[in-house]
């Protein structure tokens, strides 16, 4: 996924200013595709130059935020991107690499980091479950809401996986071999 496509998606859901997009990224899209305020504004400029979006006409007033909407070319770009093939991305996670390194240099200091990650994933799961209850509690969700719920369910599944894996990893650390240090492998 790319930031331009994330912005096009957000703008098609609701025309917004850069500041509003930043806030929306923090509350939803940012859970699976993050971007800084500067990245969003830079990308808005590129999308506008490419005639994929444009600023809505506003009465001139100082301090008024420019609000953007998607042009037909932007919708066509997003539609083409949605239907295009893309290979899954390989996992690149420093914690997994650190665990592998601990197998050769020892475990010192890694257990508290695993505990910290476990706490962070538990918090994220709790947030996702709150969002699910608040936004997707209705039994008869419409088509678009069902797709949004699928995205949220992916996040819930990933957090659940990490919690289970980290719990298992900590149990290994605390098991009978924990005091022995590194294992060959």
């Amino acid at each position: 996924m790319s930031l331009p496509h994330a912005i096009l998606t957000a703008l098609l859901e609701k025309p917004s200013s850069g500041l509003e997009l930043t806030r929306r990224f923090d509350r939803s899209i940012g859970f699976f595709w993050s971007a800084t305020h500067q990245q969003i504004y830079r990308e808005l400029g590129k999308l506008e130059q490419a005639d994929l979006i444009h600023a809505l006409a506003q009465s001139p007033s100082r301090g008024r935020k420019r609000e953007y909407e998607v042009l037909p070319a932007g919708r066509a770009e997003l539609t083409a991107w949605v239907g295009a093939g893309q290979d899954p991305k390989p996992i690149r996670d420093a914690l997994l690499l650190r665990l592998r390194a601990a197998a050769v240099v020892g475990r010192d200091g890694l257990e508290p980091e695993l505990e910290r990650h476990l706490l962070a994933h538990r918090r994220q799961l709790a947030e996702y479950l709150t969002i699910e209850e608040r936004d997707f509690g209705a039994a008869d969700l419409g088509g678009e809401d069902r797709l949004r719920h699928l995205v949220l369910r992916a996040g819930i599944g990933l957090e659940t996986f990490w919690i289970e894996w980290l719990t298992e990893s900590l149990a290994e650390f605390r098991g009978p071999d924990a005091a022995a240090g590194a294992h060959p492998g």
Side-chain angles (χ1 to χ4, degrees), residues 139-176:
D140 57 340
L141 295 174
E144 288 126 10
D145 281 339
R146 284 198 314 265
L147 292 178
R148 288 183 187 106
H149 190 215
L150 279 174
V151 173
L152 179 61
R153 295 294 304 158
I156 290 169
L158 288 170
E159 295 305 323
T160 301
F161 161 78
W162 281 112
I163 290 167
E164 290 170 359
W165 182 83
L166 286 159
T167 301
E168 179 183 335
S169 298
L170 283 164
E172 284 290 323
F173 264 62
R174 295 170 182 148

Side-chain angles (χ1 to χ4, degrees), residues 2-164:
S2 67
L3 181 56
H5 297 108
I7 290 173
L8 288 171
T9 299
L11 289 176
L12 279 169
E13 290 173 344
K14 179 183 176 198
S16 304
S17 68
L19 180 59
E20 291 167 334
L21 280 173
T22 300
R23 289 179 180 150
R24 288 174 58 207
F25 266 69
D26 289 344
R27 291 188 321 261
S28 61
I29 291 174
F31 287 127
F32 55 90
W33 192 264
S34 62
T36 66
H37 186 78
Q38 294 84 3
Q39 289 171 318
I40 289 171
Y41 274 97
R42 186 171 40 247
E43 206 57 53
L44 284 170
K46 290 177 186 176
L47 290 168
E48 191 171 27
Q49 286 178 347
D51 292 324
L52 299 177
I53 66 170
H54 74 103
L56 295 170
Q58 299 177 350
S59 57
S61 68
R62 192 178 167 131
R64 177 120 183 183
K65 298 172 189 76
R66 289 178 56 166
E67 200 167 85
Y68 296 91
E69 73 176 354
V70 177
L71 294 169
R75 179 180 281 278
E77 166 60 29
L78 188 59
T79 300
W81 179 77
V82 165
Q86 182 176 353
D87 292 334
K89 299 288 183 211
I91 295 175
R92 276 181 65 136
D93 191 291
L95 183 62
L96 297 176
L97 182 57
R98 291 171 69 196
L99 196 64
R100 180 70 185 245
V104 292
V105 299
R107 304 168 185 217
D108 290 347
L110 190 54
E111 186 174 350
E113 185 65 0
L114 291 170
E115 291 170 344
R116 190 178 71 78
H117 278 256
L118 178 59
L119 181 60
H121 286 288
R122 284 181 174 155
R123 283 185 190 135
Q124 190 63 62
L125 177 60
E127 186 172 358
Y128 285 164
L129 292 172
T130 298
I131 292 169
E132 183 178 41
E133 185 178 315
R134 182 192 67 216
D135 296 347
F136 300 104
D140 57 340
L141 295 174
E144 288 126 10
D145 281 339
R146 284 198 314 265
L147 292 178
R148 288 183 187 106
H149 190 215
L150 279 174
V151 173
L152 179 61
R153 295 294 304 158
I156 290 169
L158 288 170
E159 295 305 323
T160 301
F161 161 78
W162 281 112
I163 290 167
E164 290 170 359

